Amino acid sequence: MVYLTQMMQQNIVFLASKTLFFDIVWDFLYFPIWWYTVGLQHTAVNSMKNINAMAGHLALRLLVLNIFKPMFAQTDRAGRIISFFMRVVILIARAIFFFIYTLLQLVLIIGWIIVPALIVYRLLSIFILSYV
């Protein structure tokens, strides 16, 4: 009975270590595939969601639609002129901010693509140079 219990424990330990080993190896081999497929898609979709959310937050479309409407119900000529130029200034500032934000999201996606390749290249160059 003691021998059977020991054998079962050894089998459990063996099976658990075998499973863990294969899971680690599989994860290591599958990681680049995931990084450039599902991970990249997830990053791109989140970047687009962030860009759309920022566009909604900045209300660029609303500013363009209301560019000729007077602010604060100032319907006289001076109020309309001041409102128009004020909205143009706000629109330009927000458009510049939105453009920079979009570029940063694009840099994030490009970085997602390039960084692992650069890491592998750097590791290989260090490994090759240390043995030459």
Side-chain angles (χ1 to χ4, degrees):
M1 186 70 169
V2 173
Y3 178 72
L4 184 62
T5 307
Q6 267 185 336
M7 193 170 76
M8 286 181 62
Q9 286 177 349
Q10 287 176 351
N11 283 340
I12 289 173
V13 170
F14 174 73
L15 289 174
S17 58
K18 185 176 96 172
T19 303
L20 284 174
F21 175 74
F22 284 122
D23 280 347
I24 290 170
V25 169
W26 171 250
D27 287 344
F28 184 75
L29 294 175
Y30 182 68
F31 176 73
I33 297 168
W34 174 87
W35 186 270
Y36 287 110
T37 56
V38 177
L40 181 60
Q41 179 185 11
H42 182 71
T43 302
V45 167
N46 279 341
S47 290
M48 288 304 297
K49 284 181 184 178
N50 290 340
I51 289 170
N52 287 333
M54 185 57 69
H57 179 71
L58 294 175
L60 295 174
R61 183 176 181 272
L62 189 62
L63 273 172
V64 171
L65 290 175
N66 293 321
I67 198 156
F68 294 113
K69 292 184 181 176
M71 295 169 65
F72 309 115
Q74 296 290 325
T75 56
D76 59 335
R77 185 176 298 212
R80 287 182 183 272
I81 292 171
I82 292 170
S83 296
F84 174 75
F85 286 111
M86 191 63 207
R87 283 204 171 117
V88 167
V89 168
I90 291 171
L91 182 63
I92 290 170
R94 288 184 181 186
I96 290 170
F97 178 79
F98 182 70
F99 180 71
I100 292 170
Y101 185 78
T102 304
L103 284 179
L104 289 175
Q105 291 294 322
L106 184 62
V107 167
L108 176 76
I109 293 172
I110 292 171
W112 184 273
I113 294 169
I114 291 175
V115 166
L118 289 176
I119 290 171
V120 169
Y121 169 74
R122 186 65 181 139
L123 287 173
L124 288 176
S125 67
I126 290 171
F127 180 73
I128 291 170
L129 289 176
S130 65
Y131 289 107
V132 172

